[in-house]
Amino acid sequence: MGTREDEYDYLFKVVLIGDSGVGKSSLLSRFTRNEFNLESKSTIGVEFATRSIEVDGKTIKAQIWDTAGQERYRAITSAYYRGAVGALLVYDIAKHLSYENVERWLRELRDHADQNILIMLVGNKSDLRHLRSIPTEEAKAFAERNGLSFIETSALDSTNVEPAFQNILTEIYRIVSQKQMRDQPEGDVIRPDAEPTDARPSQADSVRKQCCQ
Amino acid sequence: MWVKPQEVFLKTALWDCDETSLYFVLQRRKGHGKSRGLSSLLVGTLDSVMDTKPAPFRILHQTPNSEVYYVIATALTEAEIRQDWQWLFENVCPTLHSFDKEDEVTDFVCCKINSVIATEQDNFTEDEDTITYKNVDYEFHQRFGMPKDEKLVCYYSCSYWKGKMPRQGWMYLSVHYMCFYSYIFGRKTTVKIRWADVTELAKTNSLLFPDSIKVVTRDDQHYFTMFLKKSETFALMQQLANIAMKQLIDDKSGSFNIDKDLLTKLSKNVPKKPSFLKRDLDAKKQSNRYTLRFRLPQNEKLDGTEECTLWTPYNKSHNWGRLYLSQNFICFDSRVKNLVRLTIPLRDVHQVERADSGGTGSSGDSGSILVTTSYHTSFLFGNISDREFLVHKISELLAKLPNDTYREKATLAVARKDDGERGWTSQPPLMTLFKTNQTSPIRQIQQKKVKRWEDHMSEVGRGVSMYQTTAGSELVVNGIPESLRGELWSVFSGSILQKAQNKGLYEKLVNEALSSKNPVNDEIERDLHRSLPEHPAFQNDVGISALRRVLCAYALKNPTIGYCQAMNIVASVLLIYCPEEQAFWLLATICETLLPDYYNTRVVGALVDQGVLEELTKAHLPELHAKLDELGVMKMISLSWFLTLFISVMPYECAVNVMDCFFYDGAKVIFQVTLTILDINRDKLLKCTEDGQAMQVLNDYLEGIYNDEAVALSTEPRTAEKTIKIQDLVYQAYRTYGSSVTSDGIEHLGLKHRLRVVRQLEDSLERNTLRALQQDKLLEPNELQELLSAIREELLLAKRVPCERLEAPYEAYRLDYTQFKMLFSALSPWAKGDYAEAITARMFKLMDNDDDGFVSARGLSLALGLSCRADAQRRLRALYCAHAPPLLSHLELRPTHFTDTGEELATDAISFFDRSTSGTDVGKANIEKDCKKTDIENPPSPEPGSSSMQRSISEVCSSGYNMDKSSDSVLSHSAGSSGDSHSADMVRACALSGLPSSLPSTPGSTSPPPTAPPLPRAHFLQLLAALHDLTQHEAALYEAVVLAGTLLLQLGELNQRPLFDREISQDSLYMAAAAKQPQLPEMDPNGNPTVDQDKPQPSTPTKDIEPSTECLWSITLEQFLATMLAQGPVEEFFNKKVTLLPQLEALRHRDRLQSIS
């Protein structure tokens, strides 16, 4: 933990999931490198990138894991959900099947991720207005019913990509910092891994950091 | 006495024929027995003088169109030879007619006789297996209660460690089980383990269990020791476990098949073994080794091997090694590793001759043969001990080759046909269409490389039959020049052989694939532009279409793999260097031979190799392994490296250098390179504090690998900071791990990890299933756990395996009716009485959501949960729904007779109930008696009902289900016409409504609460009969049911009446229609006044009910529930929670797998 890159207050692991070809990797490269390639290689297994943002004067390092979307990789990718505090569940607004499969992805998260993981439903490719097959309202209603936050993005014209990640990271930050506030009166000592089901790496790290300051 | 079949040329000289049949001749030597003449006397003398004394009787084998005869038996007495003759007639002759070709007959006979000799130790044999073996086989089945079709492979003497005492006994290895039995001093020990349950097999040597074999299952571990042939036993155990695992992976139902072909091929070379199956397995193993070693097509079967030398002209020396012979190939591998390897396809062989005057070589004198190919290259083998046999064998194989005149061209010519009519053109290597601008230094390097290869190939030959030498492998490590890649990849990987054997197949597959609508094509379509997007060829339709053709054709060729992401990336690189068809066959070779199981539906192969890599890392880089394990990245890093042969992680122009070695040396190269990469980055990795950091370190390193001997054609500039030259990386990998990471070692580790991976996949499937089932909140978690293992047991017994499916985890466990019935009747309280069969069948149908004859694990758990755990209302509703119209079809209601008689019976019933209600004062006992009478006499009697149900179930399971379905649709249609349609789905949903988790629906769809249709009279009577059956053991309860039933029957009449009054004029017409069309008697519920539906009044006057048509008779779910639940005892009975654990325990006890007593 010596180099400058590593200086952060919080580290959050976020996973990108959803059907193959909905644009998970594009969202990732748009957010972390502000790049967009109309065509990039399909993700095999898992890929990974980071970016740090500021919230309330704190540096939050987002570690974003991009997963393969094809069905047969699901058993493998679900192993990467471990330790994730947030998930962007992406579908393609022009592909109805990718929306129908959202339910299955949710089940996947319920089965393999932490109980308290924050989930954001992301309708990507909002630039394809003329091809839209899922009305915004419908998806929004579905998200509400299932307790997810919702946003429509376009990695191509970068609409809402920044807010999508900002929102979920901020929300995670709020929850984690509130928990810390709540926990603090109980004692000032470091309590590593007090609650293993929630924000495991981030909590441990941040507590360690604060102690060092 | 049987003798080893031996060719003889003269049939009649010196011999007289006593008996002849189509394939056999019984002869006596002249001078013996009856024939007396000059010649016979002479022979007699000759015999005595020359002291050869051949046995005077013999049996020859012959075929009608062949001049070659084989002696197969000789005897001193006529009685003896007659016995053999008799045996031949009884045992061999009947099977011979099934062969098409004569040489097959000969092969079979010779093999048979050989095997008889081989197995004949002290007993005369009657079958393939010896008497002792047969006895053991019988004992095996008896002792362990094995099903008849379970095949014993081999048995070994050994000891089993029970506690601290070794028990001496026998280990039995069969296709699906390993068992142990000992009986010493009156104490019996038995162990029975199914291979599919084994999680670990290992040879161990500890103080406690010296020199033993350890077998670990989910719940236990066992130690076996004191083997006579430990390694043979262990190898067989591994092989059998592996077969079981492969079955679990592929869900190829059906047991192991004896490969007759293999059997006849190898029997001569295999030492004496008790069972043919064992021999077969050995043969299979040897053949697998052989095909892997020489990269031959997988169906190639090894025929025999022979020690000999190969003359290598390039260094003028004889090299000792082993010659391998199979149907289509002659292969040679030197004794000194990697010195020289050779493959000669028999189809290329022009001539095989004896080369006697081998004066040039020192050892050329004895037994040399010269094989000349049609390209005028010759290969000289020397020091062959049994040359005649070998020559004979080769010519025999040559004669068996299919008669096609096609001969593979040595150099690769790109087929340029007129492709007008098929609408697509097979592309040449894409690099020839999209040329790179090579700088002159690079061009020089490439030219120099080509020159070196040309020189090399002028020495060792070109194409399939080139000598693969140490010098060759050195050239490979340095990287194959771009222009030769396609050709050499095909040769080294063996895909060239596949292509040659399947001429025209690619074109056929492409045409078929492009014209068919396969969902997999959509998946492929989505990834075409995401394969190698930086290469101009794939920014262009030329490359994209070629890639589409290759992937779609392969998905069609091998549906068990279909299309797996990563194949697109690999295929795109192949297309750059190879002509299209060649790229296709290379892809096939990678998927099937070089990286088996990698791309299947659960990427099992890749997972297995991740485990292997982890173990190798632990062995070679222990410190790093500990660190990576701690960070949790060990499992993440390698997946894409392996699946895409590094193409997705390093620049493609570098990854191809790894591929050069991969095609030449096999999958071990990927391990070697991976270990090297980890090793090089060791220091950086050791400093990492979290998984992401470690990933970044490796990503940066891989992206920075460069190749300055080739120019990439890429629109994406290579900007990453350079880290290592690919040639250096490959060289270092070979130098460091070349000798320590071997194919054999990897294969060995692979088996171990396959056991683990398959178990993990199964476990996670089971966990997910349990979690999903618990959401129904009917059965307790421990009950579900037990239930699931019972289901698994039942499936494995039926030789089927849980097969993961997309919809939901529990869908993996699919029970057919027999299996469902077995479990349901063992567990459910509803399946105890006379009516059990009918209820079971109806519950099956209720749970068979898609009418495909299979019920998932959830279906069974729901059926059980609803019958013993749900509250009374839901239990009764489920029963009601199981009897509701679309599910309980008319087929089941009219077992023997319908139309007029059906009505008649119904009329009977009505009049009966009319009688009983009017005579309430007669006494309950009377009713009871009468009711029983109804049960027996009237349609709802259990036997006909259940048998018809059986019938309909069997129809469901067979394809004939359409009929049932169509009647259902007619039904729902007729119901629909009356304004209220009830599909089977709706009824099923109704039965399950109120469960915490209803069936999955697409987001956003909200359906109205499901309802069940009203029951027509006949259906209701069935339901009532079922209820009677469930409750008959308790008088008070039974009375209550009878009372409620009576009320409901009256109510049904009431429901019918208003309409009857109203439409009395149409009634006769309606009846006529009903008689003609059995579906019509659905009542019209909308026609009924709904006022008295809610509260059935027991005091309703009934005397004015007239027995008449049942057309409009109906009872609704609400009426049924209200009436039934109004009866205290009924409600109490159906609210009683029944625990399933004792039954599950009993079930488990019944088929407990590991019984140790």
Side-chain angles (χ1 to χ4, degrees):
Chain A
M1 268 197 196
T3 59
R4 222 162 48 85
E5 272 175 45
D6 285 333
E7 278 171 21
Y8 52 85
D9 300 296
Y10 294 91
L11 175 70
F12 295 147
K13 176 176 171 183
V14 174
V15 291
L16 275 163
I17 58 170
D19 274 13
S20 172
V22 295
K24 298 181 291 296
S25 302
S26 299
L27 282 172
L28 179 67
S29 68
R30 175 60 84 192
F31 177 65
T32 57
R33 297 190 297 274
N34 198 19
E35 282 173 13
F36 180 82
N37 296 318
L38 195 56
E39 283 149 5
S40 59
K41 284 197 186 81
S42 0
T43 310
I44 308 301
V46 70
E47 276 167 24
F48 155 90
T50 58
R51 191 185 138 182
S52 296
I53 61 164
E54 297 272 318
V55 178
D56 290 355
K58 303 272 187 205
T59 307
I60 293 171
K61 184 173 176 181
Q63 194 185 74
I64 301 157
W65 296 79
D66 179 20
T67 60
Q70 204 189 16
E71 183 66 43
R72 56 187 84 191
Y73 286 108
R74 197 162 294 183
I76 297 165
T77 51
S78 58
Y80 303 127
Y81 301 167
R82 201 172 53 107
V85 287
L88 295 184
L89 204 179
V90 188
Y91 69 91
D92 177 348
I93 63 147
K95 287 228 172 66
H96 204 270
L97 189 65
S98 74
Y99 177 67
E100 285 167 35
N101 283 336
V102 162
E103 188 116 18
R104 209 186 286 168
W105 285 108
L106 278 177
R107 196 164 54 217
E108 201 71 17
L109 282 174
R110 268 206 302 271
D111 285 353
H112 299 285
D114 295 339
Q115 291 283 305
N116 306 322
I117 191 167
L118 272 180
I119 306 169
M120 176 180 265
L121 184 64
V122 179
N124 193 28
K125 307 197 186 177
S126 63
D127 49 288
L128 301 174
R129 283 169 211 92
H130 52 296
L131 294 173
R132 177 188 284 278
S133 79
I134 297 103
T136 311
E137 291 312 310
E138 187 187 332
K140 196 181 246 168
F142 174 78
E144 260 164 41
R145 267 204 312 282
N146 288 277
L148 321 172
S149 42
F150 172 70
I151 197 164
E152 280 190 358
T153 60
S154 164
L156 182 124
D157 61 22
S158 80
T159 311
N160 272 348
V161 176
E162 200 69 22
F165 284 95
Q166 293 274 4
N167 287 357
I168 191 162
L169 291 170
T170 312
E171 211 174 325
I172 295 166
Y173 165 74
R174 299 247 181 275
I175 291 174
V176 171
S177 55
Q178 268 169 24
K179 191 163 282 171
Q180 277 177 352
M181 303 268 263
R182 230 182 25 244
D183 289 351
Q184 240 143 29
E186 291 171 21
D188 297 344
V189 282
I190 304 163
R191 297 155 17 88
D193 273 352
E195 218 163 334
T197 52
D198 182 84
R200 180 190 51 80
S202 52
Q203 251 187 343
D205 273 349
S206 56
V207 173
R208 208 184 308 140
K209 273 275 153 54
Q210 283 174 349
C211 158
C212 297
Q213 280 162 0
Chain B
M1 192 181 81
W2 302 106
V3 296
K4 195 170 175 342
Q6 226 177 351
E7 244 180 80
V8 286
F9 295 97
L10 294 169
K11 188 173 81 159
T12 45
L14 312 181
W15 294 86
D16 281 334
C17 293
D18 270 7
E19 299 265 6
T20 36
S21 74
L22 187 58
Y23 292 117
F24 300 102
V25 189
L26 193 162
Q27 294 184 326
R28 77 171 65 228
R29 190 137 176 107
K30 289 183 178 168
H32 288 277
K34 42 195 173 195
S35 63
R36 292 258 178 258
L38 190 63
S39 64
S40 63
L41 269 175
L42 182 68
V43 177
T45 345
L46 211 66
D47 282 351
S48 51
V49 172
M50 293 174 75
D51 202 27
T52 49
K53 289 260 186 223
F57 297 92
R58 65 177 188 180
I59 297 175
L60 298 183
H61 164 67
Q62 62 158 24
T63 50
N65 297 317
S66 162
E67 286 302 314
V68 186
Y69 294 81
Y70 293 88
V71 187
I72 54 170
T74 59
L76 288 168
T77 65
E78 189 167 1
E80 213 180 306
I81 205 79
R82 289 277 167 196
Q83 198 187 354
D84 289 352
W85 183 256
Q86 191 69 23
W87 182 85
L88 273 179
F89 256 86
E90 279 164 11
N91 297 289
V92 180
C93 287
T95 46
L96 292 183
H97 300 293
S98 53
F99 292 100
D100 293 327
K101 291 193 193 137
E102 288 185 3
D103 43 9
E104 284 177 357
V105 172
T106 306
D107 266 1
F108 177 79
V109 170
C110 293
C111 164
K112 187 86 174 178
I113 301 302
N114 272 325
S115 77
V116 167
I117 299 166
T119 50
E120 195 173 40
Q121 217 165 0
D122 34 14
N123 287 313
F124 181 73
T125 52
E126 299 185 346
D127 204 348
E128 290 132 325
D129 302 325
T130 62
I131 299 240
T132 30
Y133 173 75
K134 283 209 139 172
N135 286 339
V136 173
D137 190 49
Y138 176 77
E139 275 172 12
F140 164 73
H141 282 89
Q142 289 297 306
R143 278 178 186 158
F144 301 103
M146 286 293 167
K148 246 193 177 148
D149 56 348
E150 184 61 33
K151 294 191 186 79
L152 178 62
V153 177
C154 210
Y155 57 98
Y156 298 97
S157 158
C158 72
S159 296
Y160 170 67
W161 286 91
K162 190 180 179 185
K164 283 181 183 158
M165 279 291 295
R167 297 282 160 94
Q168 181 55 39
W170 292 91
M171 174 183 276
Y172 301 84
L173 304 178
S174 74
V175 175
H176 294 96
Y177 296 89
M178 65 161 294
C179 302
F180 175 85
Y181 180 86
S182 94
Y183 187 82
I184 290 178
F185 309 128
R187 298 172 82 175
K188 201 163 77 174
T189 310
T190 55
V191 179
K192 181 177 170 188
I193 300 168
R194 203 202 314 266
W195 290 119
D197 292 325
V198 171
T199 54
E200 194 187 331
L201 268 182
K203 285 194 218 177
T204 58
N205 198 353
S206 66
L207 217 56
L208 203 55
F209 305 113
D211 202 26
S212 46
I213 291 176
K214 180 166 90 167
V215 181
V216 185
T217 65
R218 239 183 243 211
D219 340 279
D220 215 342
Q221 43 181 294
H222 310 271
Y223 289 89
F224 300 92
T225 183
M226 289 187 219
F227 289 93
L228 283 177
K229 298 176 238 173
K230 185 173 155 197
S231 37
E232 181 193 311
T233 315
F234 187 68
L236 181 60
M237 289 168 77
Q238 276 193 317
Q239 197 181 3
L240 289 168
N242 212 9
I243 289 173
M245 290 307 131
K246 289 230 156 125
Q247 276 176 0
L248 285 177
I249 294 172
D250 290 346
D251 185 32
K252 281 189 189 111
S253 47
S255 56
F256 185 76
N257 292 323
I258 299 181
D259 195 331
K260 277 278 182 226
D261 198 22
L262 244 186
L263 199 82
T264 50
K265 284 279 180 279
L266 263 176
S267 54
K268 288 168 217 148
N269 307 320
V270 181
K272 190 178 59 195
K273 290 284 148 51
S275 150
F276 251 27
L277 198 59
K278 167 80 169 103
R279 226 173 293 176
D280 184 29
L281 286 167
D282 284 348
K284 200 166 202 144
K285 201 161 153 187
Q286 286 198 32
S287 279
N288 282 346
R289 278 246 172 93
Y290 166 69
T291 54
L292 264 177
R293 182 193 291 233
F294 295 100
R295 309 278 153 72
L296 304 177
Q298 272 172 318
N299 52 2
E300 195 64 24
K301 279 157 195 128
L302 181 60
D303 201 301
T305 68
E306 181 87 46
E307 283 268 313
C308 69
T309 57
L310 171 66
W311 167 256
T312 45
Y314 51 87
N315 58 359
K316 301 200 171 42
S317 66
H318 292 276
N319 306 280
W320 273 101
R322 188 169 279 277
L323 181 137
Y324 298 79
L325 207 55
S326 63
Q327 307 105 298
N328 297 300
F329 299 95
I330 302 172
C331 299
F332 180 88
D333 200 5
S334 59
R335 202 185 283 163
V336 179
K337 223 171 130 199
N338 295 331
L339 191 61
V340 57
R341 197 166 62 186
L342 179 69
T343 304
I344 310 169
L346 285 173
R347 63 160 68 221
D348 290 350
V349 171
H350 180 65
Q351 201 177 10
V352 180
E353 53 195 327
R354 299 169 182 84
D356 280 323
S357 56
T360 45
S362 52
S363 52
D365 289 324
S366 60
S368 299
I369 60 167
L370 188 69
V371 178
T372 313
T373 68
S374 29
Y375 317 113
H376 313 294
T377 36
S378 310
F379 302 94
L380 182 69
F381 298 96
N383 291 307
I384 304 162
S385 57
D386 191 355
R387 181 174 64 179
E388 292 312 311
F389 178 75
L390 188 66
V391 171
H392 175 72
K393 197 74 211 170
I394 294 174
S395 39
E396 202 178 280
L397 289 169
L398 280 172
K400 277 189 204 161
L401 278 185
N403 280 335
D404 69 39
T405 48
Y406 168 75
R407 286 281 188 265
E408 176 75 8
K409 287 273 171 291
T411 47
L412 301 151
V414 181
R416 289 205 178 273
K417 271 194 265 173
D418 180 28
D419 303 306
E421 84 259 40
R422 62 180 180 180
W424 55 276
T425 320
S426 191
Q427 294 297 340
L430 294 173
M431 65 173 185
T432 61
L433 300 179
F434 299 83
K435 289 206 168 63
T436 50
N437 297 317
Q438 286 181 336
T439 57
S440 68
I442 287 180
R443 196 177 307 126
Q444 278 170 10
I445 292 174
Q446 286 290 327
Q447 280 165 355
K448 213 153 83 192
K449 278 192 172 193
V450 172
K451 177 78 174 52
R452 291 225 310 263
W453 272 95
E454 298 281 1
D455 290 348
H456 175 67
M457 288 194 290
S458 69
E459 284 185 339
V460 301
R462 195 163 184 158
V464 185
S465 303
M466 65 195 283
Y467 297 99
Q468 298 191 11
T469 62
T470 325
S473 33
E474 273 163 20
L475 284 177
V476 171
V477 173
N478 284 327
I480 300 173
E482 311 243 287
S483 55
L484 290 174
R485 238 173 210 137
E487 177 189 341
L488 291 172
W489 281 358
S490 300
V491 170
F492 294 151
S493 66
S495 69
I496 191 172
L497 307 170
Q498 299 263 18
K499 181 173 163 240
Q501 275 192 351
N502 299 286
K503 205 170 166 269
L505 180 63
Y506 176 65
E507 188 176 334
K508 211 178 111 225
L509 285 169
V510 170
N511 287 334
E512 201 175 321
L514 293 184
S515 60
S516 67
K517 275 229 170 286
N518 191 337
V520 88
N521 288 5
D522 298 339
E523 268 182 87
I524 291 170
E525 203 61 38
R526 204 167 43 207
D527 284 346
L528 290 176
H529 292 272
R530 309 201 295 152
S531 305
L532 201 59
E534 73 263 30
H535 196 285
F538 299 99
Q539 295 160 359
N540 184 300
D541 189 53
V542 175
I544 293 295
S545 307
L547 184 60
R548 176 187 297 119
R549 288 192 293 269
V550 167
L551 292 174
C552 290
Y554 188 73
L556 188 68
K557 174 180 183 275
N558 190 345
T560 54
I561 288 179
Y563 166 70
C564 178
Q565 280 186 336
M567 281 163 66
N568 57 332
I569 295 173
V570 173
S572 59
V573 168
L574 297 177
L575 280 167
I576 293 179
Y577 296 99
C578 308
E580 191 177 318
E581 186 179 354
Q582 223 176 303
F584 170 81
W585 287 108
L586 265 173
L587 181 68
T589 308
I590 294 173
C591 293
E592 289 154 26
T593 316
L594 293 169
L595 298 177
D597 298 331
Y598 258 57
Y599 303 103
N600 72 10
T601 48
R602 288 184 279 172
V603 280
V604 174
L607 289 174
V608 170
D609 277 357
Q610 278 194 298
V612 174
L613 174 69
E614 202 165 329
E615 195 148 332
L616 289 173
T617 315
K618 199 172 179 179
H620 295 280
L621 306 162
E623 195 189 0
L624 190 56
H625 174 264
K627 180 69 187 180
L628 294 177
D629 204 34
E630 175 203 320
L631 293 176
V633 279
M634 207 56 220
K635 292 250 182 300
M636 310 181 182
I637 49 170
S638 53
L639 200 69
S640 55
W641 303 8
F642 280 59
L643 279 160
T644 64
L645 303 170
F646 291 104
I647 302 165
S648 67
V649 289
M650 60 171 85
Y652 83 88
E653 71 276 12
C654 300
V656 286
N657 277 43
V658 180
M659 288 166 76
D660 291 342
C661 304
F662 167 74
F663 287 126
Y664 190 78
D665 263 342
K668 68 174 180 191
V669 173
I670 314 178
F671 289 97
Q672 292 165 348
V673 171
T674 303
L675 286 171
T676 311
I677 292 170
L678 291 179
D679 196 10
I680 292 172
N681 290 284
R682 183 202 329 228
D683 293 341
K684 278 190 196 165
L685 289 171
L686 285 175
K687 281 194 202 116
C688 291
T689 49
E690 29 106 350
D691 46 3
Q693 225 177 338
M695 289 280 284
Q696 203 61 53
V697 166
L698 290 168
N699 279 355
D700 291 346
Y701 181 79
L702 287 161
E703 277 173 22
I705 296 176
Y706 64 97
N707 185 354
D708 50 18
E709 297 180 3
V711 170
L713 198 54
S714 169
T715 50
E716 227 175 66
R718 305 292 189 219
T719 51
E721 202 179 314
K722 289 186 176 183
T723 51
I724 190 173
K725 202 174 134 179
I726 183 66
Q727 287 82 0
D728 293 344
L729 177 66
V730 171
Y731 181 72
Q732 193 174 336
Y734 264 85
R735 207 191 47 202
T736 321
Y737 299 104
S739 54
S740 53
V741 177
T742 62
S743 301
D744 280 349
I746 290 168
E747 194 196 315
H748 187 77
L749 290 175
L751 171 68
K752 181 174 155 192
H753 285 276
R754 188 172 299 124
L755 291 176
R756 182 186 54 81
V757 167
V758 170
R759 179 54 16 90
Q760 276 174 358
L761 286 171
E762 258 197 46
D763 282 352
S764 85
L765 176 66
E766 197 174 303
R767 247 193 337 267
N768 294 341
T769 307
L770 281 177
R771 199 175 328 186
L773 294 185
Q774 277 170 32
Q775 284 167 7
D776 289 326
K777 296 205 165 39
L778 284 170
L779 300 179
E780 298 299 320
N782 55 350
E783 286 174 325
L784 286 171
Q785 176 85 56
E786 289 282 328
L787 178 63
L788 208 57
S789 56
I791 290 175
R792 183 172 177 274
E793 187 62 37
E794 202 61 31
L795 285 177
L796 283 173
L797 270 180
K799 306 263 160 58
R800 289 181 38 223
V801 293
C803 167
E804 202 156 347
R805 288 156 66 93
L806 308 182
E807 299 85 3
Y810 45 77
E811 292 289 343
Y813 304 84
R814 287 156 54 81
L815 300 158
D816 67 15
Y817 180 61
T818 347
Q819 291 147 5
F820 178 89
K821 187 177 139 196
M822 194 273 130
L823 292 168
F824 189 79
S825 56
L827 299 171
S828 171
W830 284 3
K832 299 285 177 248
D834 305 331
Y835 227 68
E837 179 96 26
I839 293 180
T840 309
R842 279 162 205 171
M843 289 307 279
F844 179 82
K845 215 164 171 199
L846 184 66
M847 293 303 159
D848 183 10
N849 288 322
D850 43 5
D851 287 321
D852 62 353
F854 286 97
V855 158
S856 71
R858 178 167 184 246
L860 178 62
S861 100
L862 281 176
L864 288 171
L866 285 171
S867 71
C868 66
R869 200 56 53 80
D871 61 37
Q873 183 170 354
R874 271 162 58 197
R875 269 189 239 188
L876 285 169
R877 186 167 55 204
L879 263 185
Y880 178 95
C881 290
H883 289 80
L887 292 181
L888 185 63
S889 74
H890 284 255
L891 210 66
E892 294 141 38
L893 291 179
R894 286 180 187 74
T896 44
H897 41 210
F898 53 107
T899 62
D900 309 312
T901 38
E903 259 155 54
E904 217 170 88
L905 288 169
T907 316
D908 271 359
I910 289 175
S911 59
F912 158 73
F913 277 107
D914 189 28
R915 214 164 7 95
S916 64
T917 40
S918 56
T920 34
D921 45 318
V922 175
K924 295 268 156 77
N926 200 7
I927 301 172
E928 218 171 302
K929 207 177 80 204
D930 281 341
C931 277
K932 279 228 168 96
K933 190 168 140 246
T934 343
D935 278 356
I936 295 155
E937 287 174 3
N938 281 340
S941 64
E943 273 72 35
S946 62
S947 73
S948 72
M949 188 63 203
Q950 274 287 36
R951 202 173 64 219
S952 101
I953 288 288
S954 66
E955 265 161 25
V956 165
C957 301
S958 73
S959 56
Y961 183 61
N962 285 344
M963 180 191 133
D964 208 10
K965 229 177 189 159
S966 66
S967 85
D968 274 355
S969 70
V970 169
L971 206 93
S972 59
H973 176 73
S974 71
S977 65
S978 62
D980 186 13
S981 82
H982 279 94
S983 65
D985 289 342
M986 181 87 98
V987 177
R988 286 184 181 123
C990 175
L992 303 183
S993 63
L995 288 177
S997 73
S998 52
L999 292 168
S1001 58
T1002 56
S1005 72
T1006 45
S1007 47
T1011 55
L1015 290 190
R1017 185 176 179 115
H1019 292 251
F1020 178 69
L1021 288 178
Q1022 290 281 343
L1023 173 58
L1024 208 53
L1027 283 172
H1028 284 168
D1029 185 61
L1030 291 178
T1031 55
Q1032 64 185 352
H1033 55 275
E1034 218 176 295
L1037 174 64
Y1038 186 74
E1039 268 171 40
V1041 169
V1042 169
L1043 183 61
T1046 312
L1047 291 173
L1048 282 166
L1049 280 166
Q1050 290 167 359
L1051 199 58
E1053 301 296 334
L1054 273 183
N1055 287 346
Q1056 166 204 356
R1057 224 161 50 111
L1059 198 67
F1060 179 67
D1061 288 343
R1062 206 165 53 231
E1063 300 177 4
I1064 195 147
S1065 57
Q1066 294 172 9
D1067 195 50
S1068 58
L1069 226 155
Y1070 206 97
M1071 272 178 72
K1076 243 185 163 171
Q1077 213 178 337
Q1079 286 83 13
L1080 266 175
E1082 291 311 304
M1083 72 310 320
D1084 178 355
N1086 282 1
N1088 297 331
T1090 48
V1091 276
D1092 52 55
Q1093 266 185 11
D1094 296 329
K1095 269 252 178 285
Q1097 298 296 313
S1099 57
T1100 310
T1102 55
K1103 51 186 177 294
D1104 52 352
I1105 289 174
E1106 286 167 345
S1108 73
T1109 171
E1110 62 165 318
C1111 300
L1112 304 162
W1113 198 101
S1114 79
I1115 281 291
T1116 65
L1117 174 59
E1118 291 73 23
Q1119 291 169 332
F1120 172 72
L1121 289 180
T1123 315
M1124 279 296 164
L1125 293 174
Q1127 302 292 329
V1130 177
E1131 192 188 1
E1132 194 188 324
F1133 173 73
F1134 282 105
N1135 264 331
K1136 208 188 303 168
K1137 299 237 192 287
V1138 185
T1139 174
L1140 281 180
L1141 274 180
Q1143 282 89 335
L1144 282 164
E1145 196 66 36
L1147 202 62
R1148 184 184 169 84
H1149 193 74
R1150 188 209 55 171
D1151 45 37
R1152 193 164 46 149
L1153 271 178
Q1154 296 156 33
S1155 49
I1156 303 164
S1157 43

